């Protein structure tokens, strides 16, 4: 970090703990490879609580994809998959992951080999095809948790279908691990998960404060534990720490960027390889990205009294599994809650469920609130389709237009 | 060319003329649909005409305000057709859950195209297992209810009649493919595939009558020595590129069997009639082996396609798909590998409706045929 960058950001103290947490997690996972501790690759929206309750180590290729992106290693990995015949137009997480699986490439020397796979299509149809390929490549069994898309209302039969699959998943895991599924243990894990998710939400809403104690670029980094380790005690402890730090910032009048003049909302997955530059670009223009639609995806409600049913419900209702109308409501809500001046949308070539519909969303937002929307064309990890100069120009013009 | 075939071929240049004519004659409603998993029988039993929309070759003018350029051209051009008024004859549309693009297109369509009826059929992605089949039945029953409420009553007897009509159509199209496997020279691939595609664009009873005529004529026909063309198997989603198919025939190839959703997948498997009609429709959908959007863990798609290519005597394969089509792009490397292992040469073509260049494709098809002949 240069001296100038340091001035643009106040460093979050808890970052060191978070890094340690994630490093320990990956070291633990890597050393488990080849032992009798089962490893399962799971999609980011997958019901990880089942795995934790069965002492299975969850591995998130998407989190790894973000890491590869941030360390600018995604392109070389994607190229491996492209040489295998996978189209350049497919999700770059999938391409990068397949490339890394085959070559053990990436910042941590690849992910530990899975014993089985758990794909949940509440985020996209891509994960199901991608995991099918992994199942073939590693020759391991796969479980598909199929969460019917919600166009307007969630139907009873869809809820029942997902609940049934939770039961099937339990049998699948019992078979794979040779262990018995204990409901009390599951309830415990679910409770920890609820607690962590709740704390994470509390962290996120501290950004309602003016000036905001953190930006969504911080949220993108600090979301790693809620994605990879929810359901464990450590994560609860970690988010308590982070929340306290944010509250303390508010108390002491510390803001994330030195001079918050504009408050913006971010839509879609971060542009991982460009995070720092973008963060600086906005900060140097006195714009704070106070909230986003991405990190809130993990802010779901789970009821303690009926963990299984409410879990099935929560996992079906996440942001990418709902229709544009419901997305509009949620976006308008975010804009209002955080008193935002505008919206920045990352039109992400990799992610069709997230990006198709953005033009309509943008139009609706401006129509209903009068607030401007900037659409940036990029890809979350494939930097070959990104133009830094063009983005810079457009961001600056956008902020200027905010007056 | 027999009369029935000539009549059908005439319609190819103006595919929606049949639906327009039908509406004028009957005063009935036309319902657009995209995916061959849409249960046309239910729409048909309500007295409406299901009409398949598969995009068309055109430069879009209005859909660019709603869909990014990295969206497949099937979705982009279909939406453009709706927004420019080219689909003004339809009274509603039905979207079936297939890929992420279709899922979002449904919302965008509903918010912008403004037809009276909008039906989403959120079929499961898993097509195996009791829970999935139970959910599928419920979803189909709920769709039937929505059709009944908005288009016209769908009673059991009408549904059974429609199912029989559709099954008959499937039987006739299977017969067509069987005849072509025996002697592909009796009818070129572009015409054979139009016989399937046209089925989803006109009233089934009319199509059946015409098909019967075509098949009658083909049974009598034989193409002495015309089996000289190289037999190919083709796979992809929608095949609506007639010039491309004609070119394949011109350069000496012929597509004997396929895995297109406007081809074999459209008529694959029949609805069992000895069970409740909704149950029957659900069973047929699950029986159809080969959609890349659906999870059928006990079936190996590549293996099935290889078997069919073998039965058709295919010496090469063509993957024909739309750019930005995720489900097909994901399956391609795995199927290609299976073909390679069997020593079957193949070709992967990606097109977009707004920039089709048959000439460019010609060189590549010729190269494939040369490889095969050299084998
Ligand atoms: S980036 Fe989008 S397409 Fe890729 S795995 Fe995530 S949700 Fe799916
Ligand atoms: S399956 Fe492929 S061609 Fe069909 S709508 Fe989806 S992306 Fe487009």
């Amino acid at each position: 970090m240069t001296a100038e960058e340091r001035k643009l950001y106040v460093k979050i103290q808890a970052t060191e703990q978070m890094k340690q947490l994630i490093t320990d997690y990956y070291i633990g996972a890597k050393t488990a490879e080849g032992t009798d501790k089962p490893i399962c690759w799971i999609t980011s929206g997958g019901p990880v609580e089942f795995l934790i309750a069965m002492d299975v180590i969850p591995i998130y290729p998407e989190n790894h994809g973000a890491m590869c992106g941030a360390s600018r290693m995604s392109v070389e990995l994607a190229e491996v998959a492209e040489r295998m015949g996978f189209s350049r137009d497919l999700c770059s997480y999938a391409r990068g992951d397949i490339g890394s699986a085959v070559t053990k490439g990436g910042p941590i020397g690849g992910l530990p080999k899975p014993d089985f796979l758990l794909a949940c299509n509440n985020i996209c149809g891509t994960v199901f095809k991608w995991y099918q390929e992994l199942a073939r490549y590693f020759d391991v069994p796969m479980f598909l948790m199929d969460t019917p898309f919600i166009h307007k209302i969630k139907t009873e039969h869809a809820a029942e279908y997902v609940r049934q699959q939770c039961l099937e998943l339990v049998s699948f895991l019992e078979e794979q691990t040779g262990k018995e599924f204990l409901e009390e243990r599951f309830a415990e894990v679910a409770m920890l998960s609820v607690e962590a998710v709740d704390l994470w939400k509390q962290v996120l809403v501290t950004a309602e404060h003016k000036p905001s104690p953190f930006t969504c670029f911080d949220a993108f980094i600090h979301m790693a534990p809620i994605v990879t380790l929810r359901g464990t005690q450590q994560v609860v402890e970690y988010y308590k720490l982070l929340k306290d730090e944010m509250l303390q910032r508010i108390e002491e009048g510390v803001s994330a960027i030195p001079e918050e003049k504009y408050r913006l909302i971010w839509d879609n997955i971060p542009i991982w390889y460009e995070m720092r530059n973008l963060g600086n670009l906005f900060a140097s223009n006195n714009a704070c990205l106070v909230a986003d639609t991405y990190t809130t995806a993990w802010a779901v409600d789970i009821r303690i009294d009926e963990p299984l049913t409410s879990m099935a419900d929560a996992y079906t209702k996440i942001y990418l599994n709902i229709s544009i109308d419901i997305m509009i409501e949620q976006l308008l809500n975010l804009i209002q809650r955080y008193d935002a001046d505008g919206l920045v949308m990352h039109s992400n070539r990799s992610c069709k469920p997230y990006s198709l519909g953005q033009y309509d969303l943008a139009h609706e937002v401006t129509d209903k609130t009068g607030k401007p929307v900037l659409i940036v064309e990029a890809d979350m990890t494939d930097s070959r389709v990104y133009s830094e100069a063009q983005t810079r120009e457009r961001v600056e013009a956008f902020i200027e237009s905010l007056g | 060319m027999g009369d029935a075939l000539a009549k059908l071929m005439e319609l190819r240049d103006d595919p929606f003329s049949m639906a327009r004519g039908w509406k004028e004659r009957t005063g009935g409603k036309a319902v657009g649909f995209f995916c061959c998993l849409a249960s046309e029988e239910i729409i048909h039993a309500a007295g409406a005409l299901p009409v398949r929309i598969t995009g068309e070759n055109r430069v879009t003018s209005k859909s660019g305000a709603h869909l990014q350029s990295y969206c497949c051209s099937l979705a982009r051009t279909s939406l453009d057709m709706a927004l420019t008024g080219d689909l003004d004859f339809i009274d509603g549309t039905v979207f079936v859950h297939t890929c992420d693009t279709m899922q979002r297109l449904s919302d965008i369509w509903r918010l912008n195209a403004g037809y009276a009826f909008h039906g989403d059929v959120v079929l499961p992605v898993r097509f195996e297992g009791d829970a999935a089949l139970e959910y599928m039945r419920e979803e189909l029953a709920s769709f039937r209810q929505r059709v009944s409420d908005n288009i016209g009553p769908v009673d059991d007897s009408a549904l059974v009649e429609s199912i029989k009509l559709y099954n008959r159509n499937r039987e006739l199209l299977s017969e067509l493919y069987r005849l072509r496997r025996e002697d592909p020279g009796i009818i070129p691939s572009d015409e054979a595939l139009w016989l399937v595609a046209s089925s989803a664009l006109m009233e089934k009873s009319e199509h059946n009558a015409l098909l019967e005529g075509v098949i009658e004529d083909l049974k009598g026909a034989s193409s002495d020595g015309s089996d000289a063309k190289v037999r190919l198997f083709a796979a992809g989603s929608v095949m609506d590129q007639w010039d491309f198919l004609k070119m394949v025939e011109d350069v000496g190839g012929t597509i004997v069997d396929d895995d297109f959703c406007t081809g074999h997948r459209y008529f694959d498997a029949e609805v069992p009639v000895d069970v409740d009609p909704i149950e029957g429709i659900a069973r047929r959908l699950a029986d159809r082996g080969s959609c890349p959007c659906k999870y059928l863990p006990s079936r190996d798609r590549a293996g099935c396609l290889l078997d069919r290519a073998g039965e058709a005597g295919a010496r090469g394969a063509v993957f024909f798909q739309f750019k930005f089509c995720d489900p097909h792009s994901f399956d391609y490397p795995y199927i290609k590998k299976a073909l390679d292992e069997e020593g079957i040469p193949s070709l992967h073509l990606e097109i977009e409706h707004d920039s089709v260049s048959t000439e460019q494709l010609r060189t590549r098809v010729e190269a494939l045929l040369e490889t095969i002949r050299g084998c």
Side-chain angles (χ1 to χ4, degrees):
Chain A
M1 223 184 247
T2 65
E4 201 180 315
E5 281 179 29
R6 219 170 292 130
K7 267 188 272 150
L8 284 174
Y9 273 112
V10 185
K11 190 172 160 35
I12 295 179
Q13 302 301 324
T15 308
E16 291 312 314
Q17 269 94 331
M18 194 270 302
K19 280 193 183 148
Q20 198 55 52
L21 206 62
I22 298 299
T23 309
D24 290 348
Y25 155 68
Y26 274 112
I27 291 174
K30 298 250 320 176
T31 45
E33 187 169 14
T35 70
D36 54 7
K37 214 163 162 35
I39 294 173
C40 173
W41 288 16
I42 177 173
T43 55
S44 66
V48 68
E49 290 78 6
F50 290 93
L51 300 184
I52 309 250
M54 299 287 281
D55 291 318
V56 175
I57 299 181
I59 291 288
Y60 290 85
E62 289 155 81
N63 176 260
H64 180 241
M67 262 165 58
C68 296
S71 46
R72 297 180 176 250
M73 295 177 87
S74 298
V75 172
E76 56 185 275
L77 296 175
E79 280 168 351
V80 174
E82 287 156 21
R83 282 195 293 274
M84 291 163 70
F86 290 96
S87 161
R88 239 179 106 154
D89 301 320
L90 289 170
C91 167
S92 61
Y93 278 167
R95 274 179 287 140
D97 183 50
I98 291 168
S100 164
V102 174
T103 59
K104 284 269 174 194
I108 58 165
L111 294 170
K113 182 185 174 302
D115 296 296
F116 46 92
L117 305 161
L118 172 53
C120 179
N121 60 12
N122 58 357
I123 49 171
C124 63
T126 279
V127 289
F128 138 59
K129 300 304 295 178
W130 164 11
Y131 276 53
Q132 242 182 344
E133 177 62 24
L134 292 176
R136 284 191 289 260
Y137 179 74
F138 288 115
D139 193 18
V140 293
M142 148 178 177
F143 187 93
L144 173 68
M145 174 73 85
D146 180 17
T147 49
F149 188 79
I150 304 175
H151 277 286
K152 265 179 161 168
I153 43 161
K154 195 177 147 201
T155 57
E156 269 307 307
H157 52 280
E160 180 54 24
Y161 174 38
V162 179
R163 221 184 65 84
Q164 286 299 330
Q165 292 177 79
C166 288
L167 299 174
E168 283 177 32
L169 174 60
V170 166
S171 316
F172 173 82
L173 291 175
E174 286 186 329
E175 198 181 308
Q176 294 304 320
T177 60
K179 277 195 195 166
E180 198 192 337
F181 177 81
L182 301 171
E183 241 167 77
E184 315 84 79
R185 173 91 178 97
F186 179 73
E188 252 171 58
V189 173
M191 215 132 74
L192 284 169
S193 193
V194 172
E195 209 181 334
V197 163
D198 194 52
L199 281 160
W200 175 237
K201 269 200 259 185
Q202 292 179 34
V203 171
L204 294 177
V205 297
T206 60
E208 282 180 21
H209 188 270
K210 286 184 187 173
S212 170
F214 74 96
T215 79
C216 77
F217 296 106
D218 299 316
F220 294 151
I221 292 170
H222 289 266
M223 72 190 268
I226 197 72
V227 178
T228 51
L229 289 161
R230 64 180 183 280
T232 66
Q233 185 65 37
Q234 304 143 287
V235 176
V236 172
E237 298 311 322
Y238 174 70
Y239 285 117
K240 277 188 189 151
L241 192 79
L242 182 62
K243 181 186 139 199
D244 288 346
E245 190 178 338
M246 292 305 117
L247 290 177
Q248 196 183 344
R249 279 188 171 193
I250 291 178
E251 211 164 285
E252 293 170 357
V254 177
S255 59
I257 63 167
E259 220 176 307
E260 178 186 301
K261 194 167 168 211
Y262 309 106
R263 298 168 64 83
L264 302 171
I265 307 278
W266 176 273
D267 179 59
N268 213 309
I269 299 171
I271 307 173
W272 291 111
Y273 47 89
E274 196 53 9
M275 276 248 285
R276 176 174 292 180
N277 289 341
L278 272 180
N280 289 334
L281 177 60
F282 282 100
S284 61
N285 283 284
N286 302 329
C288 182
L289 285 135
V290 288
D292 66 275
T293 55
Y294 184 54
T295 53
T296 45
W298 283 270
V300 292
D301 294 303
I302 297 168
R303 283 201 326 275
I304 306 295
D305 51 336
E306 274 188 81
L308 213 119
T309 306
S310 62
M311 186 92 62
D313 184 58
Y315 277 105
T316 310
K317 281 199 311 218
I318 77 153
Y319 193 67
L320 286 186
N321 208 41
I322 54 175
S323 69
I324 292 176
D325 327 50
I326 316 177
M327 284 178 142
I328 289 174
E329 277 169 40
Q330 298 197 3
L331 251 182
L332 293 176
N333 191 3
L334 271 185
I335 292 174
Q336 197 195 17
R337 258 188 101 155
Y338 289 87
D339 194 18
D341 304 299
L343 171 66
V344 181
M345 296 184 124
H346 166 205
S347 165
N348 180 357
R349 260 180 102 84
S350 261
C351 188
K352 296 186 178 85
Y354 218 146
S355 306
L356 302 185
Q358 275 177 323
Y359 293 175
D360 280 82
L361 283 167
H363 188 264
E364 268 309 287
V365 163
T366 305
D367 208 47
K368 294 247 159 64
T369 65
K371 313 248 152 125
V373 181
L374 171 69
I375 298 179
V376 177
E377 299 284 339
D379 182 287
M380 60 204 177
T381 64
D382 191 340
S383 54
R384 290 171 296 182
V385 302
Y386 178 72
S387 156
E388 191 188 341
Q390 199 186 28
T391 308
R392 175 173 292 273
E393 213 171 279
R394 301 201 53 217
V395 167
E396 281 170 350
F398 177 71
I399 296 177
E400 211 165 286
S401 77
L402 295 172
Chain B
M1 194 186 282
D3 289 349
L5 181 58
K7 181 146 194 252
L8 273 164
M9 289 311 298
E10 241 170 59
L11 300 165
R12 195 160 75 180
D13 290 333
D14 189 4
F16 294 133
S17 60
M18 299 169 271
R20 287 206 173 87
W22 179 87
K23 277 195 74 160
E24 260 165 46
R25 279 200 314 279
T26 63
K29 287 180 176 162
V31 175
F33 70 101
F34 295 86
C35 172
C36 60
L37 288 165
S39 313
E40 280 182 71
E41 295 95 332
I42 295 177
I43 304 166
H44 185 268
L49 178 68
V51 184
R52 188 155 185 191
I53 305 165
T54 55
E56 67 177 18
N57 294 358
R58 59 149 73 195
V59 176
T60 59
S61 63
K62 295 208 154 156
S63 63
H66 304 274
L67 289 170
Q68 285 93 329
S69 57
Y70 50 82
C71 168
C72 77
S73 62
L74 192 154
R76 281 188 294 110
T77 58
S78 296
L79 182 66
D80 207 63
M81 288 156 77
L83 297 177
T84 52
D86 290 358
L87 299 176
D88 54 4
F89 63 96
I90 63 172
D91 302 280
T93 355
V94 171
F95 285 81
V96 177
H97 183 93
T98 49
C99 63
D100 294 333
T101 299
M102 268 296 146
Q103 178 177 293
R104 284 291 170 226
L105 181 66
S106 168
D107 293 344
I108 296 169
W109 191 279
R110 174 164 49 78
L111 297 169
N112 297 287
Y115 301 108
F117 176 70
H118 188 94
D120 282 305
V121 189
V122 191
L123 289 181
V125 172
R126 283 180 173 210
F127 264 21
E128 287 181 4
D130 294 343
L133 293 182
E134 175 59 25
Y135 169 72
M136 174 130 81
R137 280 192 293 272
E138 298 271 353
E139 185 62 14
L140 288 170
S142 133
F143 176 58
R144 173 187 184 168
Q145 189 59 50
R146 280 174 283 152
V147 170
S148 289
D149 294 345
N150 294 286
I151 295 176
V154 182
D155 51 48
D156 266 355
S157 60
L159 192 48
V160 170
E161 278 318 302
S162 296
I163 287 173
K164 286 188 184 148
L165 215 51
Y166 274 74
N167 275 349
R168 173 68 184 147
N169 195 254
R170 292 172 185 129
E171 197 186 321
L172 288 166
L173 290 171
S174 305
E175 176 67 5
L176 169 74
Y177 271 47
R178 192 186 63 75
L179 292 172
R180 286 204 76 234
R181 276 197 301 274
E182 273 170 18
D183 185 358
I186 51 173
I187 177 173
S189 11
D190 70 296
E191 293 177 19
L193 273 150
W194 170 247
L195 289 180
V196 188
S198 59
S199 171
L201 294 162
M202 69 197 291
E203 163 53 39
K204 269 298 178 281
S205 51
E206 287 173 39
H207 196 259
N208 282 350
L210 288 169
L211 259 190
E212 275 163 12
V214 174
I215 285 171
E216 213 29 67
D217 292 342
L218 291 183
K219 274 187 178 155
S222 81
S223 63
D224 339 292
S226 66
D227 203 5
K229 283 188 181 167
V230 176
R231 289 175 175 235
L232 300 169
F233 187 87
S237 58
V238 162
M239 169 43 82
D240 57 352
Q241 301 300 322
W242 313 117
D243 287 345
F244 166 76
L245 291 172
K246 278 194 262 181
M247 176 272 284
V248 173
E249 294 273 341
D250 282 350
V251 298
T254 189
I255 291 162
V256 188
D257 197 356
D258 65 74
D259 189 48
F260 289 125
C261 58
T262 51
H264 184 267
R265 274 213 295 287
Y266 183 70
F267 60 83
D268 190 12
E270 289 187 12
V271 176
V273 285
D274 51 352
V275 292
D276 167 75
I278 290 293
E279 166 77 27
I281 292 172
R283 280 199 208 165
R284 166 174 181 261
L285 294 184
D287 271 355
R288 286 183 354 148
S290 183
C291 176
C293 298
K294 297 298 169 191
Y295 185 51
L296 293 146
S298 73
R299 274 173 272 186
D300 170 27
R301 182 160 178 245
C304 295
L305 296 191
L306 268 180
D307 287 348
R308 290 199 21 235
E311 277 161 34
R315 296 172 62 202
V318 179
F319 293 90
F320 182 93
Q321 63 164 81
F322 297 117
K323 191 165 164 60
F324 304 113
C325 172
D326 293 346
H328 284 274
S329 301
F330 267 113
D331 273 6
Y332 163 67
Y334 135 78
I335 298 174
K336 158 95 164 99
K337 199 168 146 227
L339 287 169
D340 286 351
E341 279 164 8
E342 291 295 313
I344 301 176
S346 63
L347 177 62
H348 186 227
L349 303 173
E350 266 190 338
I351 69 136
E352 289 194 272
H353 282 94
D354 32 19
S355 59
V356 185
S357 160
T358 307
E359 274 322 296
Q360 263 170 26
L361 302 178
R362 178 190 298 268
T363 336
R364 302 194 51 203
V365 176
E366 276 171 342
L368 172 72
L369 295 179
E370 245 162 65
T371 314
I372 295 171
R373 291 198 187 100
C375 276

